Amino acid sequence: MMSVTLRRRFHVFPSLRHENPLGLPRTRTKPPEMPRRGGLPQKRPIPNVKKTVVVASGKGGVGKSTVAVNLALAMAKSGSKRVGILDLDIFGPSIPTLMGLNHREEPELTNNGALVPLMNHGIPCMSMGFLMPRKEGMEGEDVAIVWRGLMVQKATQQLLFDVDWRDSSGSELDALVIDMPPGTGDVPLTLGQLVNVDGAIIVSTPQDVALADVQKGIAMFRKVSMPITGMVLNQGYLIPPGSTIPFRLFGTADGYRRLADRAGIPTLAELPLVPGVSASGDRGVPYALWNKQEDGVAGAQWLESMENLAKRMWEALG
């Protein structure tokens, strides 16, 4: 008797559909469907984007978002090209703060229902943080997203395929830098299965606890055939004021180098720990736009390493 009652209740309840979790009108270009039984969908480029660069790490808190925004600015500067940044961290978006856009209004929509990126520092940006509902007395970043996997997948698809990256003259982006969330969950899997990625950068700090998760991230990227261009060691060393001798605050880089050698991935940059990098991000002005003299030798080395990283990425992208 009890089982019959339960079955009736399940039949009475309406089915839940999450076709459009961001509440956006559909564009004319339909996003590809997630894979079903019988094979994977064919990967395709992001609309109006020539090259796609992913900045990722299996570990959170390693400075991945900071590297992503500064890389985008450095690539735009060194290549004299149009470069944008897409924040795919659905639950904890950092790009609005790092790019000084956390108090801006919601993005506008084109006539086709696509999102128009917000602009700052000459870089078009899109993030889930721009689309958060604003409750009375609360900022958008104070509102938590509580979604299950299907909602996250749909939101990721819309951020990938329902954004119009063209400028007012109709020019495409030469490169889009994508800031990935930590871990190996729905978002990186959705990206890896649906999008043609031209290059990926793996960011890590020297600690073994970070390297263990980074190794898992590398394995996942290779499983979905995402090309890894190289690795970046962040906060690798500290140069105390008045000194030129590096101090390994978080331990030696031996474990990082062993992982890179074992994985066969080149190191594209080793960035020092610089207080101004964090301070500039909190102010919404990426360190790539900062004054080199404020942090002495370490600041100059950080900026030089980022400039070299941008040049190496352009070379790898062709």
Side-chain angles (χ1 to χ4, degrees):
M1 182 67 179
M2 180 66 70
S3 60
V4 174
T5 303
L6 288 175
R7 283 200 299 270
R8 287 176 179 173
R9 286 181 180 178
F10 282 128
H11 284 295
V12 170
F13 291 161
S15 61
L16 298 177
R17 302 187 65 185
H18 305 301
E19 296 297 330
N20 199 352
L22 299 186
L24 305 178
R26 284 292 187 194
T27 59
R28 293 178 182 175
T29 304
K30 184 180 180 181
E33 296 295 330
M34 286 299 295
R36 307 297 183 199
R37 291 182 180 178
L40 297 175
Q42 185 175 1
K43 295 183 181 182
R44 71 180 197 182
I46 295 176
N48 304 311
V49 173
K50 296 178 182 178
K51 299 290 183 179
T52 300
V53 177
V54 170
V55 179
S57 176
K59 183 69 175 175
V62 297
K64 167 181 49 58
S65 298
T66 299
V67 170
V69 297
N70 283 280
L71 175 62
L73 282 159
M75 289 181 67
K77 181 179 178 181
S78 67
S80 298
K81 302 288 184 68
R82 289 195 71 236
V83 180
I85 185 162
L86 172 61
D87 185 355
L88 279 188
D89 195 336
I90 303 298
F91 297 104
S94 300
I95 299 304
T97 297
L98 294 173
M99 290 298 291
L101 292 168
N102 50 340
H103 297 298
R104 291 285 297 272
E105 295 297 323
E106 292 184 358
E108 296 181 355
L109 298 176
T110 67
N111 292 333
N112 290 333
L115 286 161
V116 177
L118 300 183
M119 291 283 297
N120 202 13
H121 309 306
I123 300 291
C125 310
M126 183 49 61
S127 170
M128 188 68 208
F130 302 151
L131 305 169
M132 297 286 286
R134 297 178 183 271
K135 296 183 179 180
E136 186 175 354
M138 298 178 66
E139 297 292 343
E141 59 267 25
D142 294 328
V143 181
I145 292 180
V146 185
W147 284 350
R148 293 186 183 275
L150 180 59
M151 294 283 281
V152 176
Q153 292 174 13
K154 291 292 185 179
T156 301
Q157 290 182 66
Q158 289 189 284
L159 288 171
L160 288 170
F161 297 105
D162 284 349
V163 178
D164 191 340
W165 292 103
R166 293 172 295 181
D167 63 10
S168 57
S169 66
S171 298
E172 298 178 326
L173 282 182
D174 294 293
L176 176 65
V177 177
I178 300 180
D179 178 31
M180 298 293 290
T184 56
D186 291 312
V187 174
L189 185 60
T190 301
L191 175 74
Q193 291 179 333
L194 298 183
V195 176
N196 285 329
V197 174
D198 299 287
I201 295 174
I202 307 296
V203 181
S204 182
T205 50
Q207 301 96 323
D208 288 343
V209 68
L211 295 171
D213 288 344
V214 167
Q215 188 170 2
K216 296 173 185 175
I218 293 172
M220 193 216 71
F221 272 27
R222 287 179 167 167
K223 185 170 291 188
V224 296
S225 302
M226 192 179 299
I228 301 175
T229 306
M231 295 179 64
V232 170
L233 177 61
N234 193 28
Q235 302 176 359
Y237 59 92
L238 171 70
I239 299 181
S243 174
T244 59
I245 301 175
F247 174 67
R248 300 285 178 176
L249 183 64
F250 300 127
T252 69
D254 294 344
Y256 164 85
R257 294 194 177 101
R258 284 194 298 269
L259 172 59
D261 290 342
R262 188 166 61 249
I265 303 174
T267 294
L268 302 179
E270 291 193 19
L271 301 173
L273 176 62
V274 180
V277 173
S278 177
S280 64
D282 290 342
R283 297 173 187 171
V285 182
Y287 198 71
L289 302 176
W290 216 245
N291 188 337
K292 290 186 179 182
Q293 299 179 351
E294 291 198 4
D295 286 305
V297 175
Q301 289 184 5
W302 198 99
L303 289 166
E304 183 180 1
S305 297
M306 185 58 64
E307 291 170 1
N308 291 334
L309 174 60
K311 292 176 182 177
R312 294 183 70 173
M313 283 308 302
W314 280 125
E315 291 172 359
L317 294 175

